[in-house]
Amino acid sequence: MATANDIFDEFLADRGHESETETPAWEEDYNKKRCPDCGGLHEMDASECTVCGWTPS
Ligand SMILES: [Zn+2]
């Protein structure tokens, strides 16, 4: 039987998972970075997307 504590833990775990998936980051493709917003490919030293202007924050 689930206790109130178990339900609360699940609530926290779900929220933690959501914030993790929402964390903006470059996607890496071989030796390139891919913008998660528009899919544009950039060099590994790129700090912002030159296609759409996206930056990891
Ligand atoms: Zn972009």
Side-chain angles (χ1 to χ4, degrees):
M1 178 186 287
T3 66
N5 259 347
D6 287 337
I7 293 167
F8 188 63
D9 284 348
E10 277 181 33
F11 174 74
L12 288 180
D14 284 348
R15 287 183 59 85
H17 183 70
E18 277 178 25
S19 65
E20 193 172 299
T21 57
E22 287 171 6
T23 302
W26 293 101
E27 294 169 18
E28 292 189 14
D29 187 1
Y30 297 97
N31 60 341
K32 300 281 189 182
K33 284 175 169 177
R34 178 183 288 134
C35 172
D37 208 23
C38 72
L41 285 172
H42 302 280
E43 299 301 326
M44 290 303 285
D45 62 356
S47 58
E48 68 174 51
C49 177
T50 56
V51 179
C52 70
W54 176 89
T55 56
S57 55

